[in-house]
Amino acid sequence: MRTRPPPPTALAGCYVISLRPVGAHAAIRRAAAAHGARVLALSPWKLVLHDDRTARASLRAALAADRVLVTSPAAVGAARALQPLHRRRGQQWFAVGAGTAAALRRAGIDEVAAPARMDSEGLLALRGLHGLRGSSAGLITAPGGRGRIVPALQRRGARVLRANVYERVPIAPSPRALAALRALAAPAAPAWLLLSSGEALAHLLDVLPGDALAALRRARVAAASERLAQLAGESGFSGIVTAASARPRDLLDAAASTAAGSRKQR
């Protein structure tokens, strides 16, 4: 049975808070515009390419592994900037989610496995990542995050070759973003926090001034996974809904469906 899509006006007049990196809010803006919502960009960091001898050498080693795992579209873009991507005969490629898989296909990797559950647990559940004894696994990623992948692969017997091809450099919220956050009037223009990164949320909880943090916690939350939904609850948020994935369209659809249901109950 197909789920009926949420009404396109369910989020009209609402704000959606995007925690994507600097310069990476375009997909959120397009998805929000389709619902008549506005975007408040609250970037916790900027992405910086690792373009040095160490990064290039580690990337070459990772790309020569039996299996190659890529953790984000940003990792695809950074790796591609350092060298062309090619799938060797017999080599298996894996992506954390659909967005990363699509980026790999655009980069020339014709066969990519990605889980329906778009997180580390979903990735590690894929059949091709079991029975790894004696094999190598290249991980193309950034420092920090995805902390479950390497230990799990090692427990399964793989030799992990990690390539940190970019990094997330924390930044303080801009005065403009803080002013917009403080100005949110929840009853008049309800706000939704789109949560796809626990690290991003943790950083903001640490750096936001008290009044801005209080304003952020008034927002409802569309979380990309059950784990992130639980984290939001533990961090003082309420009105939390779990989306089908971290894709902007799924996050906005989850928020819109909940908003539409709330209006019907009034």
Side-chain angles (χ1 to χ4, degrees):
M1 181 177 178
R2 296 182 64 183
T3 303
R4 180 178 298 178
T9 59
L11 295 179
C14 293
Y15 278 90
V16 295
I17 302 169
S18 171
L19 305 187
R20 298 294 168 96
V22 172
H25 301 282
I28 295 288
R29 293 188 191 282
R30 289 192 296 269
H35 287 276
R38 292 169 284 185
V39 174
L40 195 167
L42 195 62
S43 296
W45 45 56
K46 60 181 179 180
L47 304 183
V48 177
L49 174 69
H50 280 187
D51 188 1
D52 54 38
R53 184 178 300 177
T54 299
R56 290 179 179 273
S58 63
L59 178 60
R60 285 194 298 271
L63 291 174
D66 301 312
R67 295 167 175 82
V68 180
L69 296 76
V70 189
T71 60
S72 69
V76 177
R80 192 179 186 183
L82 296 176
Q83 73 169 78
L85 304 183
H86 303 289
R87 185 175 65 85
R88 296 188 297 107
R89 179 176 295 181
Q91 189 181 53
Q92 295 176 274
W93 283 68
F94 302 87
V96 167
T100 305
L104 283 170
R105 294 188 186 99
R106 290 192 297 270
I109 305 302
D110 56 349
E111 294 183 17
V112 183
R117 174 178 172 174
M118 300 184 198
D119 56 16
S120 298
E121 290 78 6
L123 177 70
L124 292 166
L126 292 174
R127 180 180 298 179
L129 292 177
H130 291 266
L132 303 181
R133 190 156 304 280
S135 67
S136 57
L139 180 65
I140 301 176
T141 187
R146 307 295 181 187
R148 303 181 185 187
I149 294 178
V150 171
L153 295 176
Q154 291 173 333
R155 285 194 299 270
R156 296 173 188 183
R159 179 168 61 97
V160 179
L161 303 167
R162 180 169 184 148
N164 291 324
V165 292
Y166 74 102
E167 66 177 309
R168 306 175 187 91
V169 177
I171 60 173
S174 69
R176 180 177 179 180
L178 289 176
L181 186 58
R182 293 181 175 113
L184 288 180
W192 283 86
L193 172 64
L194 306 185
L195 182 59
S196 57
S197 168
E199 280 187 288
L201 179 61
H203 174 67
L204 286 176
L205 295 180
D206 284 341
V207 302
L208 283 177
D211 58 341
L213 180 57
L216 181 67
R217 284 197 172 111
R218 286 199 295 270
R220 304 188 71 177
V221 178
S225 68
E226 291 290 349
R227 177 182 62 83
L228 289 171
Q230 180 179 350
L231 176 63
E234 293 170 352
S235 300
F237 292 86
S238 59
I240 303 163
V241 61
T242 303
S245 78
R247 289 179 292 192
R249 179 177 175 180
D250 287 338
L251 291 167
L252 268 294
D253 281 354
S257 294
T258 302
S262 298
R263 290 181 182 180
K264 287 181 181 180
Q265 294 174 7
R266 292 176 184 171

Coordinates of all heavy atoms in Angstrom, one line a residue, residues 137-224:
A137 N 39.8 -3.5 3.1 CA 38.6 -2.6 3.0 C 39.1 -1.1 3.0 O 39.7 -0.7 4.0 CB 37.6 -2.8 4.1
G138 N 38.9 -0.4 1.9 CA 39.3 1.0 1.9 C 38.1 1.9 2.4 O 37.0 1.7 1.9
L139 N 38.4 2.8 3.3 CA 37.4 3.7 3.8 C 37.7 5.1 3.4 O 38.7 5.6 3.9 CB 37.3 3.5 5.3 CG 36.2 4.4 6.0 CD1 34.8 4.0 5.6 CD2 36.4 4.3 7.5
I140 N 36.9 5.7 2.6 CA 37.1 7.1 2.1 C 36.1 8.0 2.9 O 34.9 7.9 2.8 CB 36.8 7.2 0.6 CG1 37.8 6.2 -0.1 CG2 37.0 8.6 0.2 CD1 37.6 6.2 -1.6
T141 N 36.7 8.9 3.7 CA 35.9 9.5 4.7 C 36.6 10.8 5.2 O 37.4 11.4 4.5 CB 35.6 8.6 5.9 OG1 34.7 9.1 6.8 CG2 36.9 8.2 6.6
A142 N 36.1 11.3 6.4 CA 36.8 12.4 7.1 C 37.1 12.0 8.5 O 36.5 11.1 9.0 CB 35.8 13.6 7.0
P143 N 38.0 12.7 9.2 CA 38.2 12.4 10.6 C 37.0 12.6 11.4 O 36.2 13.5 11.2 CB 39.3 13.5 11.0 CG 39.9 13.9 9.7 CD 38.8 13.8 8.7
G144 N 36.8 11.7 12.4 CA 35.7 11.8 13.3 C 34.5 11.1 12.6 O 34.5 10.8 11.4
G145 N 33.4 10.9 13.4 CA 32.2 10.4 12.8 C 32.3 8.9 12.3 O 33.4 8.4 12.2
R146 N 31.2 8.3 12.1 CA 31.2 6.9 11.6 C 32.2 6.0 12.4 O 32.9 5.2 11.8 CB 31.6 6.9 10.1 CG 30.8 7.8 9.2 CD 29.3 7.4 9.1 NE 28.6 8.3 8.3 CZ 27.3 8.2 8.1 NH1 26.5 7.4 8.8 NH2 26.6 9.0 7.3
G147 N 32.2 6.2 13.7 CA 33.1 5.5 14.5 C 32.9 4.0 14.7 O 33.7 3.3 15.2
R148 N 31.7 3.5 14.2 CA 31.4 2.1 14.3 C 32.0 1.3 13.2 O 32.1 0.1 13.2 CB 29.9 1.9 14.4 CG 29.3 2.7 15.6 CD 27.8 2.4 15.7 NE 27.2 3.2 16.7 CZ 25.9 3.1 17.1 NH1 25.1 2.3 16.5 NH2 25.5 3.9 18.1
I149 N 32.3 1.9 12.0 CA 32.6 1.2 10.8 C 33.9 0.5 10.9 O 34.0 -0.7 10.7 CB 32.6 2.1 9.6 CG1 31.1 2.6 9.4 CG2 33.1 1.4 8.4 CD1 31.0 3.6 8.2
V150 N 35.0 1.2 11.3 CA 36.3 0.6 11.3 C 36.4 -0.6 12.3 O 36.9 -1.7 11.9 CB 37.4 1.7 11.6 CG1 38.8 1.0 11.9 CG2 37.5 2.6 10.5
P151 N 36.0 -0.4 13.6 CA 36.1 -1.6 14.5 C 35.3 -2.8 14.0 O 35.7 -3.9 14.2 CB 35.5 -1.0 15.8 CG 35.7 0.5 15.7 CD 35.5 0.8 14.3
A152 N 34.1 -2.5 13.4 CA 33.3 -3.6 12.9 C 34.0 -4.4 11.8 O 34.0 -5.6 11.7 CB 31.9 -3.1 12.5
L153 N 34.6 -3.6 10.9 CA 35.3 -4.3 9.8 C 36.5 -5.1 10.3 O 36.8 -6.2 9.8 CB 35.7 -3.2 8.8 CG 34.6 -2.5 8.0 CD1 35.3 -1.4 7.1 CD2 33.8 -3.4 7.2
Q154 N 37.2 -4.5 11.2 CA 38.4 -5.2 11.8 C 37.9 -6.5 12.5 O 38.6 -7.5 12.4 CB 39.1 -4.2 12.7 CG 39.8 -3.1 12.0 CD 40.4 -2.1 12.9 OE1 40.0 -1.9 14.0 NE2 41.5 -1.4 12.4
R155 N 36.8 -6.4 13.3 CA 36.4 -7.6 13.9 C 36.0 -8.7 12.9 O 36.1 -9.9 13.2 CB 35.1 -7.3 14.8 CG 35.5 -6.6 16.1 CD 34.3 -6.6 17.1 NE 33.1 -5.9 16.5 CZ 32.9 -4.6 16.6 NH1 33.7 -3.8 17.3 NH2 31.8 -4.1 16.1
R156 N 35.6 -8.3 11.8 CA 35.2 -9.3 10.7 C 36.4 -9.8 9.9 O 36.3 -10.5 9.0 CB 34.2 -8.7 9.8 CG 32.9 -8.3 10.5 CD 31.9 -7.6 9.6 NE 30.8 -7.1 10.3 CZ 29.7 -6.5 9.8 NH1 29.7 -6.2 8.5 NH2 28.7 -6.1 10.6
G157 N 37.6 -9.3 10.3 CA 38.8 -9.8 9.7 C 39.5 -9.0 8.6 O 40.4 -9.4 8.0
A158 N 38.9 -7.8 8.3 CA 39.4 -7.0 7.2 C 40.6 -6.1 7.7 O 40.7 -5.7 8.9 CB 38.3 -6.1 6.7
R159 N 41.5 -5.9 6.8 CA 42.6 -4.9 7.0 C 42.0 -3.6 6.4 O 41.8 -3.4 5.2 CB 43.8 -5.3 6.2 CG 45.0 -4.3 6.4 CD 46.3 -4.9 5.8 NE 46.1 -5.3 4.4 CZ 46.6 -4.5 3.4 NH1 47.1 -3.4 3.7 NH2 46.4 -4.9 2.1
V160 N 41.8 -2.6 7.3 CA 41.2 -1.4 6.9 C 42.2 -0.3 6.5 O 43.2 0.0 7.3 CB 40.3 -0.8 8.1 CG1 39.6 0.5 7.7 CG2 39.2 -1.8 8.5
L161 N 42.0 0.3 5.3 CA 42.9 1.3 4.8 C 42.0 2.6 4.8 O 41.2 2.8 3.9 CB 43.4 0.9 3.4 CG 44.1 -0.4 3.4 CD1 44.3 -0.9 1.9 CD2 45.4 -0.3 4.1
R162 N 42.3 3.5 5.7 CA 41.5 4.7 5.8 C 42.1 5.8 5.1 O 43.3 6.1 5.2 CB 41.3 5.0 7.3 CG 40.4 6.3 7.5 CD 40.0 6.4 9.0 NE 39.2 7.6 9.2 CZ 38.2 7.6 10.1 NH1 38.0 6.6 10.9 NH2 37.5 8.7 10.2
A163 N 41.3 6.6 4.4 CA 41.7 7.8 3.7 C 40.9 8.9 4.1 O 39.7 9.0 3.8 CB 41.6 7.6 2.2
N164 N 41.4 9.8 4.9 CA 40.7 11.0 5.3 C 41.0 12.1 4.2 O 42.0 12.7 4.2 CB 41.2 11.5 6.7 CG 40.8 10.6 7.8 OD1 39.7 10.0 7.8 ND2 41.7 10.5 8.8
V165 N 40.0 12.3 3.3 CA 40.2 13.1 2.2 C 39.7 14.6 2.4 O 39.9 15.4 1.5 CB 39.6 12.5 0.9 CG1 40.3 11.3 0.5 CG2 38.1 12.2 1.1
Y166 N 39.0 14.8 3.4 CA 38.6 16.2 3.8 C 38.3 16.2 5.3 O 38.4 15.2 6.0 CB 37.3 16.5 3.0 CG 36.0 15.9 3.5 CD1 35.1 16.6 4.3 CD2 35.7 14.6 3.2 CE1 34.0 16.0 4.8 CE2 34.6 14.0 3.6 CZ 33.7 14.7 4.4 OH 32.5 14.0 4.9
E167 N 38.1 17.4 5.8 CA 37.8 17.5 7.2 C 36.7 18.5 7.4 O 36.5 19.4 6.6 CB 39.0 17.8 8.0 CG 39.6 19.2 7.8 CD 40.8 19.5 8.7 OE1 40.6 19.3 9.9 OE2 41.8 19.9 8.2
R168 N 36.0 18.4 8.5 CA 35.0 19.3 8.9 C 35.6 20.3 9.9 O 36.1 19.9 11.0 CB 33.8 18.6 9.6 CG 33.2 17.5 8.8 CD 32.1 16.8 9.6 NE 31.6 15.6 8.9 CZ 32.1 14.4 9.1 NH1 33.1 14.2 9.9 NH2 31.5 13.4 8.4
V169 N 35.7 21.6 9.5 CA 36.3 22.6 10.4 C 35.2 23.3 11.1 O 34.4 24.0 10.5 CB 37.2 23.6 9.6 CG1 37.7 24.6 10.5 CG2 38.3 22.8 8.9
P170 N 35.1 23.2 12.4 CA 34.0 23.8 13.2 C 34.0 25.3 13.0 O 35.1 25.9 13.0 CB 34.2 23.4 14.6 CG 35.0 22.1 14.5 CD 35.9 22.3 13.3
I171 N 32.9 25.9 12.9 CA 32.7 27.4 12.9 C 31.7 27.8 13.8 O 30.8 27.1 14.2 CB 32.4 27.9 11.4 CG1 31.0 27.3 11.0 CG2 33.5 27.5 10.4 CD1 30.5 27.8 9.7
A172 N 31.8 29.1 14.3 CA 30.8 29.7 15.1 C 29.6 30.1 14.2 O 29.8 30.6 13.1 CB 31.3 30.8 15.9
P173 N 28.4 30.0 14.7 CA 27.2 30.5 13.9 C 27.4 32.0 13.6 O 27.9 32.7 14.5 CB 26.0 30.2 14.9 CG 26.5 29.1 15.8 CD 27.9 29.4 16.0
S174 N 27.0 32.4 12.5 CA 27.1 33.8 12.1 C 26.1 34.6 12.9 O 25.1 34.1 13.3 CB 26.8 33.9 10.6 OG 25.5 33.7 10.3
P175 N 26.4 35.9 13.1 CA 25.5 36.8 13.8 C 24.1 36.8 13.1 O 23.1 36.9 13.7 CB 26.1 38.2 13.7 CG 27.6 37.9 13.6 CD 27.7 36.6 12.8
R176 N 24.1 36.7 11.8 CA 22.9 36.7 11.0 C 22.0 35.5 11.3 O 20.8 35.5 11.6 CB 23.1 36.8 9.5 CG 21.9 36.8 8.7 CD 22.3 36.9 7.2 NE 21.1 36.9 6.3 CZ 21.2 37.1 5.0 NH1 22.3 37.2 4.4 NH2 20.0 37.1 4.3
A177 N 22.7 34.3 11.4 CA 22.0 33.1 11.7 C 21.5 33.1 13.1 O 20.3 32.7 13.4 CB 22.9 31.9 11.5
L178 N 22.3 33.6 14.1 CA 21.8 33.7 15.5 C 20.6 34.6 15.6 O 19.6 34.3 16.3 CB 22.9 34.2 16.3 CG 24.1 33.2 16.6 CD1 25.2 33.9 17.4 CD2 23.6 32.0 17.3
A179 N 20.6 35.8 14.9 CA 19.5 36.7 14.9 C 18.2 36.0 14.4 O 17.1 36.2 14.9 CB 19.8 37.9 14.1
A180 N 18.4 35.3 13.3 CA 17.2 34.6 12.7 C 16.7 33.5 13.6 O 15.5 33.3 13.7 CB 17.6 34.0 11.3
L181 N 17.6 32.8 14.3 CA 17.2 31.8 15.2 C 16.4 32.4 16.4 O 15.4 31.9 16.8 CB 18.4 31.0 15.7 CG 18.2 29.8 16.6 CD1 17.3 28.8 15.9 CD2 19.5 29.2 17.0
R182 N 16.9 33.5 16.9 CA 16.3 34.1 18.1 C 14.9 34.7 17.7 O 14.0 34.8 18.5 CB 17.2 35.3 18.6 CG 18.4 34.8 19.3 CD 19.2 36.0 19.8 NE 20.4 35.6 20.5 CZ 21.7 35.8 20.1 NH1 21.9 36.5 19.0 NH2 22.7 35.4 20.9
A183 N 14.8 35.1 16.4 CA 13.5 35.7 15.9 C 12.4 34.7 15.7 O 11.3 35.1 15.4 CB 13.8 36.5 14.7
L184 N 12.7 33.4 15.7 CA 11.7 32.4 15.4 C 10.6 32.5 16.4 O 10.8 32.5 17.6 CB 12.3 31.0 15.4 CG 13.2 30.7 14.2 CD1 13.7 29.2 14.4 CD2 12.5 30.8 12.9
A185 N 9.4 32.7 15.9 CA 8.2 32.8 16.8 C 7.4 31.5 16.6 O 6.7 31.4 15.6 CB 7.3 34.0 16.5
A186 N 7.7 30.5 17.4 CA 7.1 29.1 17.2 C 5.6 29.1 16.9 O 5.2 28.4 15.9 CB 7.5 28.2 18.3
P187 N 4.8 29.8 17.6 CA 3.3 29.7 17.3 C 3.0 30.3 15.9 O 2.1 29.7 15.2 CB 2.7 30.5 18.4 CG 3.7 30.6 19.5 CD 5.0 30.6 18.8
A188 N 3.6 31.4 15.6 CA 3.2 32.0 14.3 C 3.9 31.3 13.1 O 3.3 31.2 12.0 CB 3.7 33.5 14.4
A189 N 5.1 30.9 13.2 CA 5.8 30.3 12.1 C 6.6 29.1 12.7 O 7.8 29.2 13.0 CB 6.8 31.3 11.5
P190 N 5.9 28.0 12.8 CA 6.6 26.8 13.4 C 7.9 26.4 12.7 O 8.0 26.6 11.5 CB 5.6 25.7 13.3 CG 4.3 26.4 13.1 CD 4.6 27.7 12.4
A191 N 8.9 26.0 13.5 CA 10.1 25.6 12.9 C 10.4 24.1 13.1 O 10.0 23.5 14.1 CB 11.3 26.4 13.6
W192 N 11.1 23.6 12.1 CA 11.5 22.2 12.1 C 13.0 22.1 12.0 O 13.6 22.7 11.1 CB 10.9 21.4 11.0 CG 9.4 21.1 11.2 CD1 8.3 21.9 11.0 CD2 8.9 19.9 11.7 NE1 7.2 21.2 11.3 CE2 7.5 20.0 11.8 CE3 9.5 18.7 12.2 CZ2 6.7 18.9 12.3 CZ3 8.7 17.7 12.6 CH2 7.3 17.8 12.7
L193 N 13.7 21.4 12.9 CA 15.1 21.1 12.7 C 15.3 19.8 12.0 O 14.7 18.8 12.3 CB 15.7 20.9 14.1 CG 17.1 20.5 14.2 CD1 18.1 21.5 13.6 CD2 17.6 20.2 15.7
L194 N 16.0 19.9 10.9 CA 16.3 18.7 10.0 C 17.6 18.1 10.5 O 18.7 18.7 10.4 CB 16.4 19.1 8.6 CG 15.2 19.8 8.0 CD1 15.3 20.0 6.5 CD2 13.9 19.1 8.3
L195 N 17.5 16.9 11.2 CA 18.6 16.3 11.9 C 19.2 15.1 11.2 O 18.5 14.1 11.1 CB 18.2 16.0 13.3 CG 19.3 15.4 14.2 CD1 20.5 16.4 14.3 CD2 18.8 15.1 15.6
S196 N 20.3 15.2 10.6 CA 21.0 14.1 9.9 C 22.4 13.8 10.4 O 23.0 12.9 9.9 CB 21.0 14.3 8.4 OG 21.7 15.5 8.0
S197 N 22.8 14.6 11.4 CA 24.2 14.4 11.9 C 24.2 14.7 13.4 O 23.9 15.8 13.9 CB 25.2 15.3 11.2 OG 26.4 15.4 11.9
G198 N 24.5 13.6 14.2 CA 24.7 13.8 15.6 C 25.8 14.7 16.0 O 25.7 15.5 16.9
E199 N 26.9 14.7 15.2 CA 28.0 15.6 15.5 C 27.7 17.0 15.3 O 28.1 17.9 16.0 CB 29.2 15.2 14.5 CG 30.0 14.0 14.9 CD 31.2 13.9 14.0 OE1 31.0 13.5 12.9 OE2 32.3 14.1 14.5
A200 N 26.9 17.3 14.2 CA 26.5 18.7 14.0 C 25.6 19.2 15.1 O 25.8 20.4 15.6 CB 25.7 18.8 12.7
L201 N 24.7 18.4 15.6 CA 23.9 18.8 16.7 C 24.7 19.0 18.0 O 24.6 20.0 18.7 CB 22.8 17.8 17.0 CG 21.9 18.1 18.2 CD1 21.1 19.4 17.9 CD2 20.9 17.0 18.4
A202 N 25.6 18.1 18.3 CA 26.5 18.2 19.5 C 27.3 19.5 19.4 O 27.5 20.2 20.4 CB 27.4 17.0 19.6
H203 N 27.8 19.9 18.3 CA 28.6 21.1 18.1 C 27.8 22.3 18.5 O 28.2 23.2 19.2 CB 29.2 21.2 16.7 CG 29.9 22.5 16.5 ND1 31.1 22.8 17.1 CD2 29.6 23.5 15.7 CE1 31.5 24.0 16.7 NE2 30.6 24.5 15.8
L204 N 26.6 22.4 17.9 CA 25.7 23.5 18.1 C 25.3 23.6 19.6 O 25.2 24.7 20.2 CB 24.5 23.5 17.2 CG 24.7 23.8 15.8 CD1 23.5 23.6 15.0 CD2 25.3 25.2 15.6
L205 N 25.0 22.5 20.2 CA 24.7 22.5 21.6 C 25.8 23.1 22.5 O 25.6 23.7 23.5 CB 24.3 21.1 22.1 CG 23.1 20.5 21.5 CD1 22.8 19.1 22.1 CD2 21.8 21.3 21.7
D206 N 27.0 22.9 22.0 CA 28.2 23.4 22.8 C 28.4 24.9 22.5 O 28.9 25.6 23.4 CB 29.4 22.7 22.4 CG 29.5 21.3 23.0 OD1 28.8 21.0 24.0 OD2 30.3 20.4 22.4
V207 N 28.1 25.4 21.3 CA 28.5 26.8 21.0 C 27.4 27.8 21.0 O 27.7 29.0 21.1 CB 29.3 26.8 19.6 CG1 30.5 25.9 19.6 CG2 28.3 26.5 18.5
L208 N 26.2 27.4 20.9 CA 25.1 28.4 20.9 C 24.9 29.1 22.2 O 25.0 28.5 23.3 CB 23.8 27.7 20.5 CG 23.6 27.3 19.1 CD1 22.2 26.6 18.9 CD2 23.6 28.5 18.1
P209 N 24.7 30.4 22.2 CA 24.4 31.1 23.4 C 23.1 30.6 24.0 O 22.2 30.0 23.2 CB 24.2 32.6 22.9 CG 25.0 32.6 21.6 CD 24.8 31.3 21.0
G210 N 22.9 30.8 25.3 CA 21.7 30.2 25.9 C 20.4 30.6 25.3 O 19.5 29.7 25.1
D211 N 20.2 31.9 24.9 CA 18.9 32.2 24.4 C 18.7 31.6 23.0 O 17.6 31.2 22.6 CB 18.7 33.8 24.3 CG 19.8 34.4 23.5 OD1 20.9 33.8 23.3 OD2 19.6 35.6 23.1
A212 N 19.7 31.5 22.2 CA 19.6 30.9 20.9 C 19.4 29.4 21.0 O 18.6 28.9 20.2 CB 20.9 31.2 20.1
L213 N 20.0 28.8 22.0 CA 19.8 27.4 22.2 C 18.4 27.1 22.6 O 17.8 26.1 22.2 CB 20.8 26.9 23.2 CG 20.7 25.4 23.6 CD1 20.9 24.5 22.3 CD2 21.8 25.0 24.6
A214 N 17.8 28.0 23.4 CA 16.4 27.8 23.9 C 15.5 27.9 22.7 O 14.5 27.2 22.5 CB 16.1 28.8 24.9
A215 N 15.8 28.9 21.8 CA 15.0 29.0 20.5 C 15.1 27.8 19.7 O 14.1 27.3 19.1 CB 15.5 30.2 19.8
L216 N 16.3 27.2 19.6 CA 16.5 26.0 18.8 C 15.7 24.8 19.3 O 15.1 24.1 18.6 CB 18.0 25.6 18.7 CG 18.3 24.4 17.9 CD1 18.1 24.6 16.4 CD2 19.8 24.0 18.1
R217 N 15.7 24.7 20.6 CA 15.0 23.6 21.3 C 13.4 23.7 21.1 O 12.7 22.8 21.4 CB 15.4 23.5 22.7 CG 16.7 22.9 22.9 CD 16.9 22.4 24.4 NE 18.1 21.6 24.6 CZ 19.2 22.1 25.3 NH1 19.1 23.3 25.9 NH2 20.2 21.3 25.4
R218 N 13.0 24.9 20.8 CA 11.5 25.1 20.5 C 11.1 24.4 19.2 O 9.9 24.2 19.0 CB 11.1 26.5 20.5 CG 11.1 27.2 21.9 CD 10.3 28.5 21.9 NE 10.9 29.5 21.1 CZ 11.8 30.4 21.6 NH1 12.2 30.3 22.8 NH2 12.3 31.3 20.8
A219 N 12.1 24.2 18.3 CA 11.7 23.6 17.0 C 11.4 22.1 17.2 O 11.9 21.4 18.1 CB 12.9 23.7 16.1
R220 N 10.5 21.7 16.3 CA 10.2 20.2 16.2 C 11.4 19.6 15.4 O 12.1 20.3 14.8 CB 8.9 20.0 15.6 CG 7.7 20.6 16.4 CD 6.4 20.2 15.8 NE 6.1 18.9 16.2 CZ 4.9 18.2 16.0 NH1 4.0 18.8 15.3 NH2 4.7 17.0 16.3
V221 N 11.5 18.3 15.4 CA 12.6 17.7 14.8 C 12.2 16.6 13.9 O 11.4 15.7 14.2 CB 13.6 17.0 15.9 CG1 14.7 16.3 15.2 CG2 14.1 18.1 16.9
A222 N 12.8 16.6 12.6 CA 12.7 15.5 11.7 C 14.0 14.9 11.7 O 15.0 15.4 11.1 CB 12.3 16.0 10.3
A223 N 14.1 13.7 12.2 CA 15.4 13.0 12.4 C 15.6 11.9 11.3 O 14.6 11.3 10.9 CB 15.5 12.3 13.7
A224 N 16.8 11.7 10.8 CA 17.1 10.8 9.7 C 17.1 9.4 10.1 O 17.1 8.5 9.3 CB 18.4 11.2 9.1

